[in-house]
Amino acid sequence: MVPALNSPVGGPLTSGTTLTYGGLAPATSYDAYVRGICEGGSPLLITGVFDGPLSGGQPKAIEFYAQDSIEDLSIYAIGSANNGNGTTAPLGEFTFPSIGVSAGSYIYATSDSADFVTYFGFSADYETSVAFINGDDAIELIRDSVVIDIFGVDSVDGTGLTLEYLDGWAYRNNDVGA
């Protein structure tokens, strides 16, 4: 049985904070992970990937969410690691235009604008071949040449795996960061 590790600090942890935990077994190795949730997190996240039920798997789309305001969206690029063929970093395949985005905004990229409107009833923000995904492809969000968020595994073809979204969609769980 793994003991529950509850933070003895009431509030956010900061650099230099020392944590002490009880209930650990002597001479046992433990892995500890620290993850920033707010500060230093990405203002932009991948929130959904779609391989729709219309003919040809349309609409194919990627949904992004701006957690914070972004002055210049062009610092972000996206790529699709099709069929496990590896990362598209450092450049990605599509760079967003140099525009500002308000916190709380959703951004949609699709491979076919007409099918996107037919299915969702509103227009996507961008049409790009990057969104021509088949339900087993990984999607990467790149900032400053580094993959900062990913759906799937860039070196794995998702066919038959739990991350497959063929003729359907996958959506990020609430409160899960990049």
Side-chain angles (χ1 to χ4, degrees), residues 24-123:
L24 303 177
T28 302
S29 295
Y30 294 89
D31 292 324
Y33 300 92
V34 177
R35 181 178 74 138
I37 294 175
C38 297
E39 224 173 73
S42 176
L44 190 64
L45 295 172
I46 300 168
T47 48
V49 290
F50 305 91
D51 179 58
L54 301 179
S55 177
Q58 292 293 340
K60 297 175 184 296
I62 309 162
E63 180 188 81
F64 302 89
Y65 179 70
Q67 297 187 107
D68 300 309
S69 293
I70 301 169
E71 279 187 41
D72 184 1
L73 194 60
S74 72
I75 63 173
Y76 295 96
I78 56 175
S80 56
N82 301 99
N83 303 316
N85 286 331
T87 184
T88 61
L91 302 176
E93 299 167 278
F94 174 82
T95 301
F96 289 102
S98 183
I99 61 169
V101 176
S102 300
S105 298
Y106 287 92
I107 300 167
Y108 296 91
T110 185
S111 64
D112 188 305
S113 295
D115 282 339
F116 187 93
V117 170
T118 297
Y119 189 76
F120 288 107
F122 63 94
S123 296

Side-chain angles (χ1 to χ4, degrees), residues 138-174:
I139 302 299
E140 301 173 317
L141 178 61
I142 300 164
R143 179 179 175 175
D144 299 327
S145 302
V146 175
V147 175
I148 59 164
D149 197 11
I150 187 168
F151 174 81
V153 180
D154 62 14
S155 60
V156 173
D157 181 331
T159 302
L161 302 177
T162 57
L163 56 87
E164 185 174 25
Y165 52 99
L166 181 65
D167 295 331
W169 53 274
Y171 210 73
R172 179 182 294 274
N173 289 334
N174 291 337

